[in-house]
Amino acid sequence: VFTVPEVSWIVEVLEQYLRDIRTLFNVGAHPALFPTERVQYMGSKDFGSRFQQMVEEAGLPVELSLHHLRHTYATNLAEYGYDPVFIQ
């Protein structure tokens, strides 16, 4: 997983997910990081619909989408002082 020092905490979060959550799916050697309940790859529509569900449950504006996370990450990198070419 590519990360920058300011968000290096994500490595620990992913390690915990792999150790405590992903194993509950009994996926064995399947290479998907986030498998479905049927041990298949999740598609972008799966992520998008789950994200929308979480947005609604959190009471956030329904206009939010996964793409907004990309913009947030880029904005954070700019705020941390990363070169625009790196961000691009």
Side-chain angles (χ1 to χ4, degrees), residues 72-86:
T72 300
Y73 184 65
T75 299
N76 288 336
L77 290 177
E79 290 174 347
Y80 296 142
Y82 282 81
D83 186 286
V85 175
F86 175 84

Side-chain angles (χ1 to χ4, degrees), residues 44-56:
S44 59
K45 290 182 182 179
D46 298 314
F47 281 105
S49 62
R50 180 66 181 121
F51 182 81
Q52 284 307 127
Q53 181 183 357
M54 289 187 291
V55 163
E56 291 171 15

Side-chain angles (χ1 to χ4, degrees), residues 17 21 25 34-37 42-60 62 64-66 69:
Y17 162 77
I21 306 299
F25 287 91
F34 300 106
T36 66
E37 293 86 357
M42 287 186 68
S44 59
K45 290 182 182 179
D46 298 314
F47 281 105
S49 62
R50 180 66 181 121
F51 182 81
Q52 284 307 127
Q53 181 183 357
M54 289 187 291
V55 163
E56 291 171 15
E57 290 173 4
L60 298 170
V62 295
L64 290 177
S65 70
L66 277 175
L69 296 179

